């Protein structure tokens, strides 16, 4: 029997889509947990990031934090939380929030840090106080970077949530884990495709949102908020590829 | 020695040396699996990424599609990738290895390309002026200049891979992840914590080792920074 056919048969079975453990319900649970995790991470990371960026420091600390969380396996954090008595979705939200903090933090710090010093000077020169400089000058200029950070963090959380199925969290990952448990590989494949599709769709949607929230004056800037001019070589113009500092690279969801 | 955090009777401490000594064989086996998977994945990914990155560098038209594909693949969660691979490559080592190589490859190709493109144009010009051909320019000048960026990529890929191996638990081949999951199943705190700590230590050791190798490969970056040897 062909696994692919089996997967499509699974996906075509309406019974797999309805009910409390159907694809629809699981997808909603998946998105809910992800949104909670991103909100929690944003509540922690954005104020700190904005403050650090406003004061013009914290770049190094951000990289250190990002690298440490990279080495810590999600599975470790999930099992640690689950074993401490936090089962299911609470553990998932907490664990995913931890991994969403670095991109949000570095988005805020880098975004504010890259605001032109002359612009900041001018704002001070026309008599703006520190907090007003932050809210009406630095923050709008940092929107592309902030949005990029939130997008990276959100997609990462969506990709991490499925792992929580291993410790009892409900999400689209449950389909995969259950399939492995019962050795139905058609279901495993179907679940894998659903999870991948969710992440790709979310990535696409958030890219559009990022474009929309960027002030028109800044739209000429690239995805990473860097001006298109002044790059090192002609062919990197198409896409900015700054991977030298680990904090810039996106994360795999381990 | 037993550092016990007593919660309930029977004690279920997070750190227990007794656990380590009693299960030394188990732990060693999981650690060996973890290390061999990581090193093998990085080695394969490196061997594949170097020519791919160089190709994208020599044929700039390919760079966009290469990086675009890499970005899309990178968005796919590891669990989903293992789930898609497992029905075809079976349960076990092959599936995990393919997944690990795929993710490491994306990081490495990007860094090889960035490293090669980041070479100072003046250096490239000088080499051309001295009569270097394209191949000699690549191997004699650009590649050595790109070593720091490539090493940074290998470090990043290695640390990520160490963490990623644990996800292999879904196909029953997750190295230290096996211990974590078993510890979770049987509510054995020490087993989870030991595996977690070993994971972090392994990532740190490999990271520092590769950094040291990178420093050894680029003696010219050491010493006085301002005055480069001419």
């Amino acid at each position: 029997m062909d696994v692919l056919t089996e997967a499509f048969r699974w996906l075509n079975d309406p019974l797999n889509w309805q009910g409390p453990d159907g694809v629809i319900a699981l997808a909603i649970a998946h998105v809910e947990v992800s949104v909670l995790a991103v909100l929690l991470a944003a509540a922690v990371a954005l104020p700190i990031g904005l403050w650090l960026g406003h004061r013009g420091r914290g770049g190094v600390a951000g990289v250190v934090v990002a690298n440490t969380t990279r080495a810590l396996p999600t599975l470790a954090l999930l099992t640690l939380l689950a074993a401490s008595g936090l089962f299911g979705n609470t553990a998932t939200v907490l664990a995913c929030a931890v991994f969403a903090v670095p991109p949000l933090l570095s988005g805020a710090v880098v975004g504010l840090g890259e605001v032109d010093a002359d612009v900041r000077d001018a704002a001070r020169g026309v008599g703006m106080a520190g907090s007003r400089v932050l809210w009406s000058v630095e923050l709008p200029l940092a929107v592309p970077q902030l949005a990029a950070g939130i997008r990276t963090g959100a997609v990462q959380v969506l990709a991490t949530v499925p792992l929580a199925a291993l410790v009892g969290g409900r999400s689209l990952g449950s389909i995969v884990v259950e399939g492995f448990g019962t050795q139905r590989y058609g279901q495993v494949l179907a679940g894998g495709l659903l999870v991948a599709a969710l992440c790709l769709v979310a990535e696409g949607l958030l890219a559009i949102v990022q474009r929309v929230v960027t002030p028109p004056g800044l739209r000429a800037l690239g995805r990473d908020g860097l001006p298109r001019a002044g790059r090192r070589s002609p062919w990197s113009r198409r896409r900015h590829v700054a991977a030298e500092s680990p904090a810039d690279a996106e994360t795999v969801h381990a | 020695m037993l550092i016990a955090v007593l919660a309930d009777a029977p004690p279920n401490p997070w750190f227990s040396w007794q656990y380590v000594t009693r299960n030394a064989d188990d732990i060693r086996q999981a650690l060996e699996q973890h290390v061999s998977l990581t090193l093998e994945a990085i080695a394969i990914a490196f061997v594949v990424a170097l020519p791919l990155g160089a190709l994208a560098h020599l044929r700039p038209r390919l760079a966009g599609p290469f990086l675009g594909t890499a970005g899309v693949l990178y968005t796919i969660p590891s669990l989903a990738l293992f789930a898609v691979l497992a029905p075809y490559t079976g349960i076990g080592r092959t599936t995990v290895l393919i997944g690990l190589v795929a993710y490491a490859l994306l990081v490495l190709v990007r860094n090889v390309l960035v490293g090669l493109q980041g070479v100072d144009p003046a250096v490239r010009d000088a080499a051309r002026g001295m009569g270097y051909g394209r191949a000699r320019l690549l191997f004699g000048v650009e590649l050595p200049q790109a070593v720091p960026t490539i090493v940074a990529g290998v470090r990043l890929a290695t640390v990520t891979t160490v963490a990623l191996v644990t996800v292999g638990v879904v196909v029953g081949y997750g190295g230290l992840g096996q211990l974590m999951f078993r510890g979770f199943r049987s509510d054995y705190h020490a087993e989870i914590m030991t595996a977690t700590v070993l994971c972090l230590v392994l990532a740190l050791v490999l990271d520092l080792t590769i950094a040291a190798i990178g420093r050894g490969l680029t003696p010219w970056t050491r010493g006085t920074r301002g005055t480069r040897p001419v």
Side-chain angles (χ1 to χ4, degrees):
Chain A
M1 59 181 175
D2 186 7
V3 182
L4 197 61
T5 327
E6 219 179 299
F8 278 109
R9 192 174 302 151
W10 193 92
L11 284 173
N12 266 324
D13 188 348
L15 281 178
N16 288 328
W17 287 77
Q18 296 154 0
D21 282 321
V23 172
I24 307 279
L26 288 176
I28 291 172
H30 194 134
V31 173
E32 267 175 12
V33 168
S34 307
V35 169
L36 280 177
V38 173
L39 285 180
L40 182 62
V44 174
L46 289 186
I48 298 176
L50 289 182
W51 186 73
L52 287 175
H54 183 62
R55 305 305 287 288
R57 49 180 111 127
V60 180
V63 173
V64 170
V65 171
N67 284 349
T68 318
T69 55
R70 206 184 293 285
L72 179 67
T74 318
L75 187 69
L77 196 56
L78 281 168
T79 47
L80 281 175
L81 287 173
S84 333
L86 289 167
F87 278 97
N89 288 342
T90 323
T92 317
V93 169
L94 275 178
C96 291
V98 168
F99 289 97
V101 164
L104 291 173
L105 197 62
S106 77
V109 172
V110 173
L112 289 193
E114 280 182 358
V115 172
D116 195 337
D118 289 345
V119 174
R120 208 175 281 149
D121 256 10
R124 285 219 186 271
V126 298
M128 287 190 184
S131 62
R132 222 175 131 214
V133 174
L134 173 64
W135 290 114
S136 13
V137 177
E138 289 177 329
L139 205 54
L141 285 172
V143 162
Q145 290 275 11
L146 275 174
I150 294 174
R151 171 177 158 199
T152 309
V155 172
Q156 194 180 315
V157 166
L158 275 174
T160 311
V161 167
L163 277 183
L166 285 169
V167 297
R170 277 177 79 241
S171 69
L172 286 178
S174 311
I175 300 170
V176 176
V177 171
E178 192 193 291
F180 271 120
T182 53
Q183 303 198 343
R184 286 190 197 127
Y185 294 110
Q187 184 182 340
V188 168
L189 182 56
L193 292 176
L194 284 172
V195 172
L198 179 69
C199 288
L200 291 174
V201 167
E203 165 85 5
L205 282 180
L206 287 171
I208 296 172
V209 171
Q210 187 188 339
R211 241 193 111 65
V212 171
V213 298
T214 304
L218 294 173
R219 293 238 176 103
L221 305 178
R223 184 203 149 169
D224 307 272
L226 292 173
R228 282 183 188 277
R231 290 192 188 167
R232 271 186 240 166
S233 58
W235 47 82
S236 73
R237 220 171 264 165
R238 200 164 308 169
R239 193 185 166 95
H240 175 67
V241 278
E244 278 184 68
S245 118
D248 293 343
E250 288 154 77
T251 329
V252 184
H253 329 288
Chain B
M1 193 178 77
L2 195 90
I3 310 158
V5 183
L6 289 167
D8 309 285
N12 191 0
W14 284 105
F15 296 96
S16 158
W17 191 246
Q18 204 183 3
Y19 162 76
V20 177
T21 49
R22 282 197 185 157
N23 297 278
D25 279 344
D26 245 16
I27 298 173
R28 196 180 311 122
Q29 208 184 345
L31 191 62
E32 268 172 22
Q33 196 182 79
H34 208 112
V35 173
S36 72
L37 266 176
T38 306
L39 294 182
E40 207 174 318
I42 294 295
I44 296 174
F46 185 71
V47 169
V48 179
L50 217 48
L52 276 182
L55 185 67
H57 174 61
L58 294 176
R59 299 267 173 277
R61 257 166 207 290
L62 291 175
F66 266 34
L67 293 174
T69 317
V72 169
L73 282 176
Y74 220 66
T75 312
I76 294 174
S78 45
L79 186 73
L81 186 65
F82 288 151
V84 172
L85 286 174
Y88 299 101
T89 52
I91 292 290
R93 189 181 177 90
T94 322
T95 305
V96 182
L97 196 59
I98 294 175
L100 295 176
V101 168
Y103 285 117
L105 198 59
L106 306 180
V107 177
L108 289 177
V109 169
R110 182 162 60 176
N111 272 50
V112 169
L113 185 58
V114 170
L116 289 175
Q117 291 185 340
V119 174
D120 191 342
V123 171
R124 212 177 277 145
D125 259 10
R128 259 196 217 120
M130 286 170 67
Y132 274 51
R134 196 67 192 89
R136 222 176 131 209
L137 178 65
L138 178 66
F139 290 106
V141 177
E142 289 176 326
L143 217 47
Q145 289 277 309
V147 165
T149 316
I150 297 176
V151 169
V154 175
R155 288 174 68 183
L156 180 62
T158 308
V159 172
T160 321
T161 303
V162 169
L164 201 56
V165 169
T166 58
V167 181
V169 81
V170 293
V171 287
Y173 210 91
L176 293 165
Q178 295 295 127
L179 294 185
M180 285 174 203
F181 195 56
R182 202 171 63 194
F184 162 70
R185 276 279 174 82
S186 53
D187 196 28
Y188 197 166
H189 290 174
E191 193 164 32
I192 303 177
M193 190 51 97
T194 307
T196 306
V197 170
L198 281 175
C199 253
L200 290 173
V201 170
L202 179 61
L204 187 70
V205 167
L206 288 178
D207 189 44
L208 292 177
T209 311
I210 296 166
I213 294 174
R215 259 202 309 284
L217 285 174
T218 54
W220 59 87
T221 57
R222 263 173 297 168
T224 46
R225 275 208 153 188
T227 54
R228 282 197 204 149
V230 184

